[in-house]
């Protein structure tokens, strides 16, 4: 008998308004400010539009459960196929290559955290949390949306902690002001 990889279940199915880190919330309307002009201050007129995004809760569970967070940080979730298509349209064929899939699977793309597909309902295709696009909304607004969804997915441990660690690695990166490429060619 050959080896058959069992598809792991990274998720618990939950429902209601209670939030935890790693909650997947599809189709959340997110307000975005467009064209603020030269300044953005009190009394300025701005245009706010809503865009609908799939998101994953990044705020730590302890802050949500203990009611210490009045806002919730959310990372945009993109289906892998949609991300590849968008990058192709932008002229970047790199995401379509097998090597990129392996980098994402191994956690070597700091801005992306892989989410395993789930075929059962509620489901999710192979997806990534894209740390390039973050949103902060009031906890009440996010809880109201969570309650309206019905059954939804929540990352299980240790996948929830993996998400948290991936976000921390992305956030704490340091851009050095010097270039040390000469090290690669220097025999000493």
């Amino acid at each position: 008998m050959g080896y058959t990889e069992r598809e792991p279940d990274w998720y618990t199915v939950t429902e209601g308004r209670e939030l935890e880190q790693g909650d997947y919330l599809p189709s959340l309307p997110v307000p975005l400010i467009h064209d603020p002009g030269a300044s953005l201050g009190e009394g300025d007129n701005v245009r706010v539009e809503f865009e609908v995004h799939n998101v994953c809760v990044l705020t730590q569970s302890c802050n949500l459960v203990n009611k210490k967070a009045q806002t919730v940080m959310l990372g945009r979730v993109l289906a892998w196929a949609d991300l590849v298509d968008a990058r192709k349209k932008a002229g970047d064929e790199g995401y379509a290559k097998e090597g990129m899939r392996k980098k994402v699977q191994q956690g070597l793309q700091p801005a992306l955290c892989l989410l395993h597909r789930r075929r059962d309902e509620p489901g999710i295709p192979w997806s990534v949390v894209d740390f390039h696009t973050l949103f902060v909304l009031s906890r009440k607004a996010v809880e109201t949306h969570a309650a309206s969804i019905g059954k939804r997915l929540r990352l299980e441990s240790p996948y929830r902690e993996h998400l948290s660690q991936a976000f921390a690695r992305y956030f704490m990166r340091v851009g050095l002001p010097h270039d040390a490429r000469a090290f690669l060619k220097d025999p000493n």
Side-chain angles (χ1 to χ4, degrees), residues 53-122:
H53 292 280
N54 298 331
V55 298
C56 187
V57 174
L58 298 176
T59 300
Q60 291 184 332
S61 294
C62 60
N63 290 331
L64 294 166
V65 171
N66 294 318
K67 310 290 186 213
K68 292 185 178 181
Q70 296 308 309
T71 58
V72 180
M73 180 164 293
L74 306 156
R76 180 175 63 169
V77 175
L78 297 166
W80 178 253
D82 293 342
L83 175 62
V84 170
D85 287 345
R87 297 307 307 159
K88 279 183 183 177
K89 287 177 185 170
D92 181 358
E93 296 285 333
Y95 280 79
K97 296 180 180 172
E98 186 177 326
M100 182 60 77
R101 290 177 78 96
K102 188 168 185 168
K103 284 182 179 181
V104 169
Q105 183 263 334
Q106 292 175 336
L108 299 176
Q109 285 298 112
L112 303 175
C113 182
L114 182 65
L115 296 178
H116 203 290
R117 71 176 170 212
R118 184 173 193 274
R119 294 179 186 185
D120 295 336
E121 287 298 321

